Amino acid sequence: MLLETFTRRKPNDFGGDRSLKQWVSHSLPETVMDVLDANLITPMNNRLQNELDVVASIMKVALDCCAESPEGRTNMKDVVRMLQKIIIQLLAC
């Protein structure tokens, strides 16, 4: 759900063997702007790089929750802790 929200794409927007998860995964963290919904961040913002780093961190958490096997997925308590750290990082910007 987070990937869909931040990219404004649906999982079935991709054909063949490519998925939303793969598309985002291959873009992080260097080219997060390529997958991010352009309406979420404006380039005129002087904190752009910090915000992109935060978004990349959130997308990384989302990808961790999308592991193929349930055992490979991050548990929700850890997800909450990771997101809390990201919020602190954002507030420090």
Side-chain angles (χ1 to χ4, degrees), residues 34-63:
D34 292 345
V35 298
L36 184 63
D37 177 1
N39 296 312
L40 294 178
I41 296 182
T42 58
M44 294 183 288
N45 190 334
N46 62 352
R47 298 175 4 174
L48 179 62
Q49 188 56 53
N50 291 337
E51 291 178 359
L52 289 175
D53 292 344
V54 167
V55 169
S57 296
I58 293 169
M59 288 185 167
K60 172 74 171 89
V61 171
L63 289 171

Side-chain angles (χ1 to χ4, degrees), residues 2 18 24-25 28 43 45 52 56-57 79-80 92:
L2 283 174
R18 195 165 202 194
V24 171
S25 180
L28 293 181
N45 190 334
L52 289 175
S57 296
V79 168
V80 169

Side-chain angles (χ1 to χ4, degrees), residues 1-90:
M1 184 67 104
L2 283 174
L3 295 179
E4 292 176 48
T5 301
F6 280 101
T7 63
R8 201 173 188 180
R9 303 286 296 265
K10 296 178 183 173
N12 57 357
D13 284 351
F14 302 88
D17 294 334
R18 195 165 202 194
S19 68
L20 176 60
K21 177 183 164 187
Q22 291 168 329
W23 182 59
V24 171
S25 180
H26 293 305
S27 299
L28 293 181
E30 295 83 17
T31 57
V32 67
M33 195 69 172
D34 292 345
V35 298
L36 184 63
D37 177 1
N39 296 312
L40 294 178
I41 296 182
T42 58
M44 294 183 288
N45 190 334
N46 62 352
R47 298 175 4 174
L48 179 62
Q49 188 56 53
N50 291 337
E51 291 178 359
L52 289 175
D53 292 344
V54 167
V55 169
S57 296
I58 293 169
M59 288 185 167
K60 172 74 171 89
V61 171
L63 289 171
D64 290 346
C65 294
C66 294
E68 292 294 322
S69 71
E71 296 82 25
R73 296 180 197 137
T74 306
N75 88 33
M76 289 299 112
K77 287 182 182 181
D78 292 336
V79 168
V80 169
R81 280 189 219 110
M82 289 187 285
L83 291 174
Q84 287 172 334
K85 287 180 183 178
I86 293 168
I87 290 170
I88 292 168
Q89 178 187 356
L90 179 62

